[in-house]
Amino acid sequence: MADKPELLSPAGDIERLNVALTYGADAVYLAGPRFGMRAAAGNFSDEDMEKAAALCHGRGVRVYVTCNTVMRGEGIAALPQYFERLQAAGADAVIVTDLGAFTLAKKYAPKLKIHISTQAGIMNAESARAFYDLGASRVVLARELTLEEIAEIRAKTPAALELEAFVHGSMCVAFSGRCLLSNYLAGRDANSGACAQPCRWKYRLIEEKRPDDWLEISEEGGTYVFNSRDLCMIDHLPELLEAGVTSLKIEGRTKSAYYAAAVTNAYRHALDAALQGIALPRVWSEEVNKVSHREYSTGFYFGREGPGQYYKDSMYFSDCDVAAVVESCDGEGNAVLTQRNRFFAGDTLELLTPGGVPETFTAGPMLDAEGLEITAAPHPMMTLRMRLPGIAPQYSILRKPRQAELA
């Protein structure tokens, strides 16, 4: 790994991989069709995995493959061949939870580095060092650790052991993701990547002799009793670096390409500012409010009690909607766009470009695919042309602030 701390972004499919690369990731994590904890993500076939590795390495970006499900017999039997394919495809590391998977990775893919998943629940230096002694190059720390506990682990482990920690995204009510609610309530194995997220459901009580009388658990505050807030540490990267974190991980392989773009872009600026020892401009702290998210918190980093749950609801909200994505743009700002949400000429929009500060502008005249002038882009995924306020490379994003609708 490079000497400086790493920004690690999710890549649920090839589109989100391209976006993560474009917006500044140092490394990406992704999965094949099996063995990853996000079965609902698009994921990568054997052929796609090879293409992804080549694409990333061409840009100096590392590729880590998740193989972190809790392995049953039929799964573990398929791993030797799978690890061989990952090594041949050019992956840099594999992320595992199961000790048997760890052993098989060492045997059948010795060129792959091994990272220990957060699901292993590493909470102390002895555990971290034990995995290092077995051959792991990195541990993904349990999300329940405080900054002080991370600093202690760093002080008591070999300097060559890399420490990875989550900085943004969804949190799980269960310890390090070890949950059986989905298995019991929906018949979907959470530890095999098929979680139905029953922690986001609204719950009521039923008294045995009155089965039709549903009782609220509390009179006020809501009954989403398992619903965790989302993690957001964008204003606290200096503290994470001071504690000794090597890799800053963004959660979200099942989330949108826009999420991957905006959050990677914001944390790229935040990490660069932290490394330079300068204050983070407020615009980047505000960026994370412009993607779909739940109520934010700083997780357990500033205390073992954590922030508690968010009982009112489990709804996502955002300050913006994506209007269109740039497919191409000439030197004068004339762009070919793909529509994502309905918008009109005259709307107030923001242009988000890789590495650039978001720019507010007014949407001008638009042309459809046939070159006819239109006043709106009403059809999903339609192609249109429009003049932008500047040059915008592929994967730049036009978004519509929601407050503009209320003005």
Side-chain angles (χ1 to χ4, degrees), residues 53-74:
L55 179 64
C56 290
H57 293 162
R59 300 195 187 187
V61 171
R62 295 168 290 279
V63 180
Y64 310 144
V65 182
T66 65
C67 189
N68 56 344
T69 54
V70 177
M71 294 293 171
R72 297 178 185 272
E74 66 274 15

Side-chain angles (χ1 to χ4, degrees), residues 56-204:
C56 290
H57 293 162
R59 300 195 187 187
V61 171
R62 295 168 290 279
V63 180
Y64 310 144
V65 182
T66 65
C67 189
N68 56 344
T69 54
V70 177
M71 294 293 171
R72 297 178 185 272
E74 66 274 15
I76 206 80
L79 283 181
Q81 185 179 25
Y82 182 64
F83 285 143
E84 290 175 342
R85 292 200 302 268
L86 291 182
Q87 180 171 279
D92 294 290
V94 62
I95 306 168
V96 302
T97 300
D98 186 271
L99 188 57
F102 183 107
T103 303
L104 292 172
K106 289 180 62 178
K107 180 178 181 179
Y108 290 95
K111 295 181 181 178
L112 287 178
K113 292 184 177 181
I114 300 177
H115 298 175
I116 305 303
S117 172
T118 188
Q119 286 200 285
I122 296 171
M123 297 281 287
N124 60 75
E126 290 299 326
S127 294
R129 190 185 306 110
F131 279 114
Y132 176 77
D133 290 343
L134 288 171
S137 64
R138 176 182 297 190
V139 293
V140 187
L141 298 170
R143 302 191 201 191
E144 294 76 18
L145 287 169
T146 66
L147 288 171
E148 288 80 5
E149 289 169 326
I150 293 174
E152 181 180 0
I153 291 173
R154 177 71 288 168
K156 295 181 178 180
T157 53
L161 177 64
E162 300 167 359
L163 302 184
E164 180 178 305
F166 282 89
V167 295
H168 195 91
S170 296
M171 295 280 280
C172 180
V173 67
F175 170 66
S176 292
R178 297 273 187 149
C179 182
L180 288 176
L181 281 176
S182 182
N183 300 57
Y184 282 119
L185 299 179
R188 290 168 51 178
D189 188 353
N191 295 301
S192 293
C195 185
Q197 296 197 2
C199 58
R200 310 298 181 184
W201 299 351
K202 181 178 182 180
Y203 288 89
R204 296 182 179 182

Side-chain angles (χ1 to χ4, degrees), residues 284-297:
W284 302 118
S285 297
E286 293 172 351
E287 271 295 288
V288 295
N289 294 318
K290 297 180 180 180
V291 299
S292 183
H293 64 283
R294 299 184 181 93
E295 188 87 2
Y296 281 134
S297 79

Side-chain angles (χ1 to χ4, degrees), residues 372-407:
L372 300 176
E373 186 168 338
I374 55 177
T375 59
H379 304 304
M381 301 298 290
M382 69 179 289
T383 298
L384 63 145
R385 291 173 171 79
M386 190 172 71
R387 182 72 173 265
L388 301 179
I391 300 173
Q394 187 182 21
Y395 301 117
S396 296
I397 294 166
L398 277 65
R399 62 191 181 197
K400 184 176 180 181
R402 291 189 173 180
Q403 59 266 32
E405 298 177 359
L406 304 176

